[in-house]
Amino acid sequence: MQKMIAVLEGDGIGPEIVKEGVKVLNAIENKFGHKFNLEYCPFGASAYFSDGSCFPEKTKSVCDEADAIIKGPVGLAVTEMNKIPQAERPEIAGILPLRERYDTFANYRPVYLDKSYAEISTLKEELVSEGIDIMMIRELVGGIYFGKKVEGESTGMEYSTDECTYKRKDVERIAHVAFREAQGRNKIITNVHKSNVLATSRFWNAIVEEIAKNYSDVQYNSILVDNVAFQLVKNPRQFNGVMLLENMQGDIITDQAGGLLGTLGLMPSACVGPDKGYVEPAHGSAPDIAGKNIANPYSMIGSVAFMLEKFFDLKEEASLIWDALKKVLKDGYRSSDIADKNTPKEKILSTADFGNKIAEYIK
Ligand code: IPM
Ligand code: MN
């Protein structure tokens, strides 16, 4: 298979973890005889300083041509970020436009902890000793993120607005994605909402429940988002299966899930649109540890596996990467974010050595 991939390294630890993702991609190329042509383009805060925009026009045209996009995390230290006008910052002027451009409505965020390395979790052993296996599916291009905004400055600091709208077709398509995902797993889906307060949540639920009728093989549960926040730390395994979340609630709850795992360094993600999309780690750019070769590249490498699976339908290749990620941790290796006082020094891997190990397992 031959594909063109746009690579947006991003900021902070972005370039060093993307490098490991690419290392693993090269190992897959060699093993299976694929050819992936990579085109590196500027994106994020560093692109603002080098090219005057977080999402420069030349990057847009490469992404338009690409079969898929690999994206690293974005954002620099606060002092650097403060030099960028609010409306030009990477969240508003980079990430959201990227999502909108490719209509990447389906955001897959796996919350996976194997029982062989469950001690990484921040939770008590008895809660996680059997592992966790949840696929959080977050709607990514609707809701309050993309609604009409009124900034406080424009009303003399008298009021401010963020509108939240969901259209029927937006809810339908993400619900179908989630139910289909559930069919391929343990056939349990948990729909998350705030229907005791929000009209958009009542609307969301009504449509999700309509769609549920087409998937009679899937067990449908529904739960308030505040209760999810509570239940997730009390007993995460009850959610094993698929969780369906709207954009804003999904942003918060997926980060909480990273907290259960003990690190966002174990949270890869895929952002899938009707034609194509991009993959990215669900964490930030950690400028404080950038360039030190200690960042955990798991999320980035897992994101590369997602790209192969979701955009190129290379299931065997992807599962080889997932297996290698699991095996490295099973074998007791740790990146420094998940090492603890019991981790032997020689088992603590640098960013580059983590990537080397995965590539070795793939060979
Ligand atoms: C995420 C991030 C983004 C979001 C930010 C950086 C715009 O937190 O992908 O979870 O809020 O969606
Ligand atoms: Mn987030």
Side-chain angles (χ1 to χ4, degrees):
M1 174 181 285
Q2 188 151 350
K3 294 285 179 193
M4 201 277 262
I5 300 165
V7 182
L8 321 179
E9 294 179 285
D11 307 316
I13 58 170
E16 59 199 285
I17 60 172
V18 166
K19 194 168 167 202
E20 300 317 305
V22 168
K23 191 183 275 175
V24 171
L25 193 59
N26 290 335
I28 293 287
E29 274 184 305
N30 292 336
K31 187 173 175 107
F32 293 88
H34 302 307
K35 182 79 198 101
F36 301 119
N37 298 311
L38 308 183
E39 283 240 25
Y40 287 77
C41 355
F43 186 84
S46 45
Y48 176 83
F49 293 114
S50 62
D51 293 74
S53 162
C54 287
F55 193 5
E57 288 306 317
K58 63 180 180 200
T59 299
K60 287 181 186 157
S61 39
V62 174
C63 291
D64 287 351
E65 294 305 310
D67 297 300
I69 302 160
I70 294 176
K71 176 193 156 296
V74 296
L76 294 171
V78 178
T79 46
E80 288 305 295
M81 291 298 269
N82 285 342
K83 294 179 190 158
I84 309 179
Q86 191 65 47
E88 300 291 318
R89 290 192 187 167
E91 296 85 354
I92 300 284
I95 297 177
L96 297 189
L98 177 67
R99 290 176 182 170
E100 198 169 23
R101 191 173 187 90
Y102 303 111
D103 195 19
T104 58
F105 67 97
N107 182 208
Y108 294 77
R109 293 190 168 181
V111 185
Y112 182 78
L113 189 71
D114 197 73
K115 62 179 177 189
S116 66
Y117 51 80
E119 81 271 6
I120 290 174
S121 172
T122 42
L123 298 185
K124 279 190 212 144
E125 203 206 316
E126 70 235 43
L127 294 180
V128 291
S129 55
E130 289 304 305
I132 302 175
D133 191 5
I134 304 170
M135 178 62 85
M136 294 192 171
I137 297 192
R138 168 188 176 197
E139 199 292 325
L140 202 60
V141 294
I144 198 167
Y145 271 53
F146 289 90
K148 187 182 139 212
K149 293 178 193 312
V150 179
E151 298 287 344
E153 281 88 0
S154 72
T155 66
M157 296 310 280
E158 289 303 325
Y159 72 92
S160 173
T161 306
D162 286 290
E163 264 178 23
C164 183
T165 300
Y166 265 108
K167 297 205 172 108
R168 164 176 282 275
K169 65 170 185 8
D170 300 332
V171 184
E172 281 178 353
R173 64 179 181 172
I174 192 69
H176 280 296
V177 165
F179 277 98
R180 279 198 295 268
E181 183 70 24
Q183 284 181 320
R185 298 176 156 257
N186 67 353
K187 300 190 164 58
I188 300 177
I189 193 168
T190 304
N191 175 41
V192 179
H193 58 86
K194 186 66 186 166
S195 68
N196 52 356
V197 175
L198 301 178
T200 42
S201 271
R202 290 187 285 275
F203 175 76
W204 172 281
N205 285 358
I207 291 168
V208 172
E209 279 153 29
E210 250 176 64
I211 303 288
K213 296 196 183 105
N214 304 310
Y215 299 87
S216 53
D217 54 331
V218 176
Q219 182 192 322
Y220 173 78
N221 304 323
S222 124
I223 179 168
L224 288 162
V225 65
D226 47 348
N227 192 21
V228 158
F230 168 72
Q231 297 288 342
L232 260 179
V233 286
K234 209 168 141 54
N235 175 17
R237 284 179 56 77
Q238 67 181 297
F239 298 115
N240 274 359
V242 168
M243 294 178 83
L244 170 61
L245 303 112
E246 67 84 54
N247 202 349
M248 174 80 196
Q249 296 170 25
D251 180 44
I252 298 167
I253 297 298
T254 56
D255 255 41
Q256 190 189 353
L260 301 183
L261 299 183
T263 175
L264 283 171
L266 298 181
M267 294 274 292
S269 92
C271 308
V272 181
D275 306 317
K276 67 175 171 208
Y278 72 98
V279 293
E280 65 178 354
H283 57 70
S285 56
D288 53 321
I289 60 161
K292 295 187 176 157
N293 196 25
I294 57 171
N296 180 358
Y298 179 115
S299 299
M300 193 69 242
I301 295 170
S303 297
V304 165
F306 256 145
M307 174 186 75
L308 298 176
E309 185 180 321
K310 298 287 178 210
F311 302 124
F312 306 157
D313 203 28
L314 296 175
K315 300 222 163 54
E316 187 188 345
E317 289 82 340
S319 61
L320 199 56
I321 299 178
W322 293 121
D323 287 348
L325 285 166
K326 206 192 286 184
K327 190 165 181 343
V328 167
L329 297 176
K330 218 174 194 160
D331 289 349
Y333 294 105
R334 298 286 182 266
S335 46
S336 52
D337 57 330
I338 50 179
D340 64 18
K341 56 182 191 322
N342 301 318
T343 315
K345 260 217 166 62
E346 68 278 9
K347 290 283 193 181
I348 303 180
L349 299 178
S350 67
T351 309
D353 283 340
F354 200 107
N356 291 338
K357 271 268 177 290
I358 303 290
E360 233 170 73
Y361 281 145
I362 286 170
K363 259 187 222 144

